[in-house]
Amino acid sequence: IERFKGMQSLFVEHDDLVVDNFVNSIANNHLQIVGAELILGKIYEKIGFPTGGSCKYFKNLVLYRLVYPGSKLKTVDYFGNHLNIDVSVYTIYRFLDELNNDIKPTIEQISFEYTKNLLGGKVGVVFYDMTTLYFEASEEDDYRITGFSKDGKHQQPQIMIGLLVSSQGFPIGYKIFEGNTSETKTLIPVLETFQEKFSLDKPIIVADAALLSQKNIDALNEHGYQYILGGRVKNETEAIKTKIIQLKIEEDKPKELKSKNGRLIISYSPKRAYRDNKNREKGLIRLEKRVKSGKLSKEHINNRGYNKYLKLTGQVNITIDYEKYEADALWDGLKGYVTNTGLSRKIVIENYSQLWKIEKAFRISKTDLRIRPIYHRLKSRIEAHICICFTAYSIYKELERLLNYNNIKLSPEKAIDEIKEIRQLRYILPKSKEVKTKILQPTEIQSRLLNMKI
């Protein structure tokens, strides 16, 4: 009947047995992850990052960092199981050692040019921040030095990395410093390096309050830079603090005062006020419990966090200064910005509000790309590892932009989760012994990712 209807079976006889035998012959190493190459690989090549030659493993190391961030030892398994590349971990280490000094400048130049193109040919505002990267090691050297750790790993050697990004968080470049380098000593060297490297006009510098040292501000002014910096309004002089309170600032109506470093713009946000109040209440409750427990001593009296509400009365009697607590409520919702630009108050605040994107860049690098902890010991391998992570972050940001452009309602993290589940079957025909591959039927969202315009 099937023959007369033109619906001949794929298998002439023993159909079920043939299918069963075929399925039983499929092993895990016959399934390969191809989504990274098909999607992230296209983004890598579109940006223009190097392939082949002395960089023959670089692309795969970058893609692996995006889909399965982990140790170089696990990278070898990925190469063998999914890329059919038989390579030892020592080959990977030698490759990292041999990455010549041109790779970092090349990667930065490519990333900068691509970012500049996305921004219409001009980079007018840059965002700068710094973080620490610690090592799973106990010994220091000239490069890995114990210092103040933002990760809370104060006993472990570390390096410091300064990252420069454009608006929207697109990467421009980075610079590595010894682990005990002060944040305040990095800003001008980084800016001058990138200005010279990329022939930049002097951009407007946006940085957070952590970099708001008088030495930094003086250096920025001395070198002719314009800046927008986070202002710590409660650290101003008593005269300026009195004027700030008297301004009675309303939402969306920022006001400004003159300060020794330029314009001090102050804004008010009800949401920020609510958050500040809640945080103070939580801090007070914790302090009250600690005071009641009797476990506090004079060593706890400092000006860090909410301990500033503690005071000593008599010789050892510790109480809470509720007047100081209530007085702090006057500052709820207020935020300061210091600038020497002629930009409007609204534009200053809008530019500073984008600073969270560089903080997000560090968070992505530390969590999704697992840039830390670093297990390498040699300087060349450390620098190669960070270069790989920087390149991976560039692809991550472009993926984020393309998802929005193609109206795919996924975060980059969720998209990568889908991408790494796109697999193909590698099989050998029994008679001809021809090796063939077939992408397994993708889900609807995987099809959209495979077909998105890059």
Side-chain angles (χ1 to χ4, degrees), residues 6-71:
M7 296 170 57
Q8 293 189 26
S9 171
L10 175 63
F11 305 105
V12 178
E13 57 183 10
H14 307 302
D15 293 16
D16 292 346
L17 182 60
V18 172
V19 172
D20 274 341
N21 287 337
F22 176 72
V23 172
N24 289 333
S25 70
I26 299 173
N28 279 327
N29 59 2
H30 294 157
L31 293 175
Q32 301 172 313
I33 297 171
V34 293
E37 179 61 36
L38 294 175
I39 299 172
L40 302 177
K42 284 184 180 178
I43 296 174
Y44 179 101
E45 292 174 2
K46 179 191 176 186
I47 294 174
F49 290 131
T51 58
S54 61
C55 297
K56 60 181 177 179
Y57 295 127
F58 188 77
K59 177 183 177 182
N60 290 328
L61 287 170
V62 170
L63 299 188
Y64 170 77
R65 179 60 46 179
L66 284 159
V67 293
Y68 286 115
S71 69

Side-chain angles (χ1 to χ4, degrees), residues 123-138:
V123 178
V125 179
V126 296
F127 301 81
Y128 179 76
D129 202 356
M130 196 163 197
T131 195
T132 56
L133 301 175
Y134 67 89
F135 292 80
E136 289 294 346
S138 57

Side-chain angles (χ1 to χ4, degrees), residues 92-140:
I92 298 298
Y93 285 147
R94 284 195 297 272
F95 171 74
L96 296 179
D97 293 336
E98 293 168 3
L99 272 178
N100 58 50
N101 294 329
D102 292 336
I103 185 66
K104 178 181 180 292
T106 299
I107 292 296
E108 286 180 328
Q109 187 67 44
I110 292 168
S111 182
F112 171 75
E113 293 297 339
Y114 196 79
T115 294
K116 183 179 175 182
N117 184 56
L118 291 176
L119 297 175
K122 184 177 181 181
V123 178
V125 179
V126 296
F127 301 81
Y128 179 76
D129 202 356
M130 196 163 197
T131 195
T132 56
L133 301 175
Y134 67 89
F135 292 80
E136 289 294 346
S138 57
E139 297 180 357
E140 298 182 3

